[in-house]
């Protein structure tokens, strides 16, 4: 909601972002259980998800107008001169770098989730999203509004509160465990 004052804001984009966030949260909460149940490692689970997603997406891609647009773009690309081709090289390189970074991000996510609780993983995802917003503001010279700042502060405050509660619960469990060990040793 903090982006509602943004000039690029539209309701369809907000709806897509909300659906994406819900889907990501469901993935974060379910992937550890799926990994434990199936016995797969993070990279194996990621590969399986990638294959399933590709197969599910192929029919949608075949019906998409993007297929015919891609064919036209490839035809234009083959008829370009060397100077025009180098102009297209940079955006193509950025797309490739983005695809590799996105792949690595999810591969590492699937590996990381094996080491932490699903909720902890989701909380770390919030920090990642806030970092993306802050980095985007710096890189694209886009000042953050007060509403954006409040949103970032609330998100980071929630992460801090969760971290403090987890830390204190960990200390309590550790203390109780040590007390039980000492009581057993005395007997």
């Amino acid at each position: 909601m903090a982006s509602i004052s943004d000039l690029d804001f539209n309701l369809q984009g907000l709806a897509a972002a909300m659906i994406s966030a819900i889907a990501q949260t469901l993935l974060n909460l379910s992937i550890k259980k799926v990994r434990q149940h199936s016995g797969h490692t993070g990279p194996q689970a990621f590969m399986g998800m990638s294959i399933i997603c590709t197969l599910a997406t192929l029919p949608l891609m075949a019906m998409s107008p993007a297929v015919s647009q891609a064919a036209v773009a490839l035809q234009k690309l083959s008829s370009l001169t060397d100077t025009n081709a180098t102009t297209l090289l940079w955006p193509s390189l950025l797309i490739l770098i983005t695809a590799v970074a996105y792949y690595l991000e999810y591969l590492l996510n699937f590996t990381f989730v094996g080491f932490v609780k699903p909720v902890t993983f989701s909380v770390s995802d919030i920090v990642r999203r806030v970092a993306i917003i802050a980095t985007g503001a710096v890189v694209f010279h886009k000042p953050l509004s007060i509403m954006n700042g409040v949103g970032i502060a609330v998100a980071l405050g929630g992460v801090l509160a969760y971290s403090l509660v987890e830390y204190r619960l960990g200390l309590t469990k550790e203390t109780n465990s040590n007390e039980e060990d000492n009581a057993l040793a005395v007997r």
Side-chain angles (χ1 to χ4, degrees), residues 117-180:
K117 293 187 247 177
V119 176
T120 302
F121 182 77
S122 291
V123 168
S124 70
D125 192 51
I126 292 169
V127 173
R128 179 189 63 84
R129 289 172 189 256
V130 168
I132 288 170
I133 292 168
T135 303
V138 170
V139 169
F140 298 114
H141 306 291
K142 189 165 183 115
L144 295 174
S145 70
I146 292 173
M147 183 74 89
N148 298 131
V150 168
I152 289 171
V154 167
L156 291 177
V159 168
L160 178 63
Y162 173 79
S163 299
L164 290 173
V165 167
E166 278 294 305
Y167 177 73
R168 287 190 179 150
L169 287 176
L171 286 178
T172 303
K173 287 179 185 175
E174 191 176 298
T175 303
N176 289 341
S177 175
N178 288 341
E179 288 173 1
E180 289 173 9

Side-chain angles (χ1 to χ4, degrees), residues 62-169:
M63 295 183 290
S64 171
V67 173
S68 60
Q69 292 169 352
V72 170
L74 286 174
Q75 193 175 35
K76 285 181 181 179
L77 187 60
S78 65
S79 66
L80 290 176
T81 63
D82 288 340
T83 28
N84 290 340
T86 54
T87 305
L88 290 177
L89 183 62
W90 179 243
S92 300
L93 184 60
L94 286 177
I95 290 171
L96 177 65
I97 291 169
T98 302
V100 168
Y102 193 73
Y103 175 82
L104 289 174
E105 174 192 353
Y106 274 90
L107 180 63
L108 292 171
N109 280 350
F110 273 70
T111 304
F112 177 60
V113 78
F115 298 108
V116 296
K117 293 187 247 177
V119 176
T120 302
F121 182 77
S122 291
V123 168
S124 70
D125 192 51
I126 292 169
V127 173
R128 179 189 63 84
R129 289 172 189 256
V130 168
I132 288 170
I133 292 168
T135 303
V138 170
V139 169
F140 298 114
H141 306 291
K142 189 165 183 115
L144 295 174
S145 70
I146 292 173
M147 183 74 89
N148 298 131
V150 168
I152 289 171
V154 167
L156 291 177
V159 168
L160 178 63
Y162 173 79
S163 299
L164 290 173
V165 167
E166 278 294 305
Y167 177 73
R168 287 190 179 150
L169 287 176

Side-chain angles (χ1 to χ4, degrees), residues 9-49:
F9 174 82
N10 68 47
L11 205 50
Q12 185 179 8
L14 177 64
M18 296 305 291
I19 291 169
S20 172
I22 290 168
Q24 181 68 45
T25 300
L26 291 174
L27 175 68
N28 292 349
L29 294 174
S30 65
I31 189 60
K32 186 166 188 165
K33 191 172 283 188
V34 169
R35 279 189 56 204
Q36 289 172 343
H37 181 68
S38 68
H40 289 92
T41 64
Q44 290 169 334
F46 178 64
M47 181 61 74
M49 187 198 77

